[in-house]
Amino acid sequence: MKTSIGLKKLSAATAIKRVKFGLSIIAVSGAATLLSAGSVYAQADPTIYNQAIPAGRANFDAMITGVGGTVFTDALSGLSIASSWTRPDYTITSTDGSSRSIDSFYLASPAPGGIPGGQSIAISPQSPAPSSGLTFTFNTPINAFGLDIGDWSTCCHPSALYISFDGGATKQVAVATTASDNPGYAAYGTYANFVGAIDDSDTFSTITFYGDGFGEYLVAGGVIRYGTVRTGSVTGVPEHSSPVTLVAVGLGLAGLGVLRRRRQFSKLDAYLNSNQN
């Protein structure tokens, strides 16, 4: 009998230890789940624009001003062949450091006419495509950027356009398999379109733009548009729901639950210890 009772006591004590261990695993698992959720918040996809120039500019501007931001514009002028061009708020450089020619006609008077235009810088995509692009370095970090594009999707399909913020994940902002996939060509019969991106997960100092339609002329510039919006104001991501905050809350709640259950088991532990012998 004594042996039998002892085995029962041992079994109960072992069960309690296993329950405690299980609670610890639940706490860790819960924190990991919250960390994963936090990462999703931090990595919300940018809002992308690829439209005919008038519509693209208007929609890009409306989004920024609609959430309380300010749009700044810079119609490119006074540029000459070089590898770097200094503007009032930013600097443009050829990503591979090579000299680029300047086009003063393609985007000077975008269709349908009567809207501001500007000079553009030749990209002429070559392999590796990212190196043949342009890099924009801003004096003050931003998270909204757009520019006019000329001679895209004239040939060499499929052809895509890309933007990356601070050297992070590259986002495809446009892709074409036929000429009509260029929204400017579809609307006005001209190879001129607006592309842009708003990434409200943070602010950034550098934006890189390039295309991969090898054989295209491809120019970029015209009127550069840029600004800053509040974190989460465009994608709807709560500004204060960072991964660190979510994990801290999760660990706190899980810890309180484990502590409460340990207190519930403390009396049973004492009883088993007092009757072990």
Side-chain angles (χ1 to χ4, degrees):
M1 292 294 296
K2 201 169 188 178
T3 303
S4 177
I5 293 174
L7 288 173
K8 289 181 179 179
K9 290 178 181 178
L10 180 60
S11 178
T14 301
I16 291 172
K17 290 179 181 179
R18 289 177 178 176
V19 169
K20 289 180 178 180
F21 178 76
L23 290 172
S24 299
I25 294 298
I26 291 171
V28 173
S29 177
T33 300
L34 285 168
L35 177 58
S36 177
S39 297
V40 171
Y41 274 94
Q43 296 172 358
D45 287 337
T47 301
I48 301 299
Y49 297 84
N50 172 36
Q51 297 175 288
I53 289 177
R57 289 177 177 179
N59 291 328
F60 179 83
D61 293 358
M63 177 63 77
I64 295 172
T65 58
V67 296
T70 301
V71 180
F72 298 93
T73 62
D74 179 25
L76 297 183
S77 63
L79 305 184
S80 59
I81 184 169
S83 60
S84 180
W85 304 265
T86 300
R87 309 301 294 174
D89 293 335
Y90 61 96
T91 299
I92 309 172
T93 56
S94 61
T95 304
D96 62 3
S98 64
S99 293
R100 305 293 177 86
S101 61
I102 303 300
D103 191 301
S104 298
F105 304 99
Y106 218 118
L107 298 173
S109 181
I115 61 175
Q119 292 180 306
S120 54
I121 302 170
I123 292 179
S124 302
Q126 300 177 23
S127 183
S131 296
S132 61
L134 300 173
T135 298
F136 298 77
T137 304
F138 284 82
N139 301 334
T140 301
I142 63 166
N143 54 19
F145 177 80
L147 73 173
D148 302 332
I149 307 299
D151 201 70
W152 174 62
S153 188
T154 55
C155 68
C156 320
H157 302 111
S159 175
L161 303 175
Y162 303 88
I163 287 178
S164 67
F165 291 85
D166 274 358
T170 300
K171 301 297 181 181
Q172 185 183 88
V173 293
V175 63
T177 56
T178 67
S180 59
D181 288 331
N182 183 319
Y185 185 82
Y188 306 112
T190 60
Y191 291 98
N193 60 305
F194 171 88
V195 298
I198 302 175
D199 187 342
D200 65 356
S201 66
D202 205 342
T203 55
F204 309 90
S205 295
T206 62
I207 291 87
T208 300
F209 170 82
Y210 68 92
D212 66 2
F214 302 137
E216 291 177 342
Y217 176 38
L218 189 62
V219 295
V223 180
I224 310 298
R225 312 179 95 76
Y226 52 98
T228 305
V229 297
R230 296 188 316 277
T231 303
S233 61
V234 173
T235 59
V237 178
E239 186 169 0
H240 299 294
S241 296
S242 66
V244 173
T245 302
L246 289 170
V247 171
V249 172
L251 287 174
L253 293 174
L256 288 174
V258 171
L259 180 61
R260 181 166 61 86
R261 284 168 175 76
R262 284 181 174 176
R263 287 175 177 171
Q264 291 174 350
F265 287 126
S266 62
K267 291 183 179 180
L268 184 56
D269 277 334
Y271 172 79
L272 289 174
N273 290 333
S274 64
N275 290 278
Q276 187 69 38
N277 297 319

